[in-house]
Amino acid sequence: MYARTATVAVAVAATTLMGAGALLMSTVGTQTTGRGAATAGHANTGTAIRTVSAQTSDAKPGAPVIFAHRGASAYAPENTLAAVDKADALGIDWVENDVQFSKDRVLVVVHDTDLKRTTDVEEVFPDRAPWAVKDFTAAEIARLDAGSWFGPQFAGTRVPTLNQYLDRIERNHQKLLLEIKSPEIYPGIEKETLRVLSRKGWLDRNHVKNRLVIQSFGASSVKQVHQQRPDVTTGFLGTPEVAGLPSYAAFSDQINPSYTSISADYVTAVHALKGAHGKKLRVNTWTVNDEATAAKTAGFGVDGIITNTPDVVRKATG
């Protein structure tokens, strides 16, 4: 999914800085210094987070599940641990992220297939145009500042590896909607993604049943995940024609389209089919960031809404 968040982020971040600044500044340090610092910085927010989570459990029946798009990316730099922690502070269980391969085939969490928009790569490596993710080693990517573009308070924030990302959301007791980004340029990324998930304990019964969905715009990629791990819940990103939905249902449990491409009739057509695990196909739509659109989209009967502003969407729908 692609939705540039910087403009809205700066505006919203300014209004939330007093309430969230301490938490988010602590997360900048954690990406550099490790999880010990993260635990210390997070401790003071534990009670507040539990309170918010308790409130969200009272969501009205049928309210869509809220997914924090690239973390709470309206309030912190997308796909970073700071954005994950902000979603946690807001009481959001599900976070969405993007994974790609570095040059040395380490899975890193970043959206664009180049590093220009969300890091200082052009300054650190001025002679490495076009600055594609696949042309940099994980160690080189780890040197980049992935926060200053969003706001000076996030200076020094790093691009996490999938390993680091999984550690953080495990610590936060969050759930993961993981997107395999541009699989056509990363042969074998499905197998490696599953290998890392397995090594980190994310393919056990509890995680697979309750806390993990893998999605992609690449139908063949989703098929590969389903073939390699038939127990894992999968989603296809896009809006297939209604007539073609049965073919996607053979390997997907979700059809996850842009909100601009759907209607109540389309959602009904998806729900009429059973997915790869014999349950009703679900619809999680993206990227909805304002109350009016959230209410309208929820009215279509979608199962989930993916958003940069999860608190706003929750208020409008729950």
Side-chain angles (χ1 to χ4, degrees):
M1 287 163 287
Y2 193 96
R4 186 178 180 106
T5 61
T7 301
V8 63
V10 172
V12 177
T15 65
T16 60
L17 182 57
M18 291 300 293
L23 170 65
L24 295 176
M25 285 303 292
S26 72
T27 63
V28 172
T30 60
Q31 297 197 73
T32 305
T33 61
R35 291 181 65 197
T39 303
H42 194 70
N44 292 334
T45 66
T47 301
I49 292 170
R50 286 193 294 272
T51 300
V52 173
S53 297
Q55 291 172 348
T56 61
S57 69
D58 295 329
K60 64 185 179 184
V65 175
I66 307 301
F67 297 84
H69 183 231
R70 309 180 201 169
S73 56
Y75 309 111
E78 63 181 63
N79 274 323
T80 65
L81 304 187
V84 168
D85 285 346
K86 181 57 181 176
D88 185 38
L90 292 171
I92 303 300
D93 290 333
W94 281 94
V95 294
E96 185 268 356
N97 75 342
D98 309 275
V99 293
Q100 301 183 55
F101 267 147
S102 65
K103 184 177 182 179
D104 48 348
R105 294 179 67 83
V106 174
L107 290 167
V108 291
V109 180
V110 62
H111 177 271
D112 298 5
T113 55
D114 66 68
L115 295 157
K116 293 183 292 184
R117 181 175 63 89
T118 58
T119 77
D120 61 347
V121 67
E122 293 178 86
E123 298 173 21
V124 178
F125 298 103
D127 301 323
R128 300 275 294 276
W131 299 285
V133 174
K134 66 182 180 64
D135 293 335
F136 289 82
T137 67
E140 289 172 332
I141 293 171
R143 291 174 53 189
L144 303 177
D145 181 337
S148 291
W149 71 275
F150 190 92
Q153 70 271 36
F154 297 105
T157 300
R158 302 302 176 192
V159 174
T161 64
L162 181 58
N163 273 308
Q164 292 167 334
Y165 196 94
L166 291 172
D167 283 343
R168 183 56 58 87
I169 59 177
E170 186 67 69
R171 190 205 71 181
N172 291 349
H173 305 291
Q174 290 168 300
K175 306 175 184 183
L176 178 60
L177 175 59
L178 184 154
E179 179 182 344
I180 296 176
K181 177 62 61 177
S182 301
E184 65 278 3
I185 63 175
Y186 299 117
I189 191 171
E190 297 83 10
K191 183 177 181 180
E192 179 62 12
T193 298
L194 290 169
R195 189 186 71 83
V196 172
L197 287 167
S198 179
R199 190 177 70 237
K200 301 298 287 186
W202 274 77
L203 293 184
D204 65 12
R205 179 179 173 83
N206 176 57
H207 286 80
V208 166
K209 185 177 180 180
N210 302 305
R211 297 178 60 187
L212 177 67
V213 178
I214 299 178
Q215 63 176 359
S216 181
F217 282 102
S220 63
S221 185
V222 181
K223 285 181 183 178
Q224 287 186 56
V225 171
H226 178 64
Q227 290 166 356
Q228 293 175 36
R229 282 297 301 237
D231 54 333
V232 170
T233 299
T234 54
F236 174 73
L237 279 163
T239 316
E241 295 290 336
V242 170
L245 286 171
S247 64
Y248 290 87
F251 57 85
S252 302
D253 301 285
Q254 303 175 358
I255 301 296
N256 297 340
S258 166
Y259 79 90
T260 62
S261 66
I262 63 172
S263 64
D265 287 343
Y266 186 82
V267 174
T268 298
V270 175
H271 283 165
L273 298 172
K274 291 184 178 180
H277 288 96
K279 298 179 180 179
K280 181 181 74 174
L281 268 180
R282 294 172 64 87
V283 178
N284 298 321
T285 191
W286 48 271
T287 306
V288 177
N289 295 321
D290 65 90
E291 290 190 28
T293 305
K296 178 181 178 181
T297 305
F300 292 159
V302 299
D303 301 286
I305 296 178
I306 302 167
T307 172
N308 303 332
T309 55
D311 53 335
V312 173
V313 172
R314 180 178 59 199
K315 178 181 177 182
T317 61

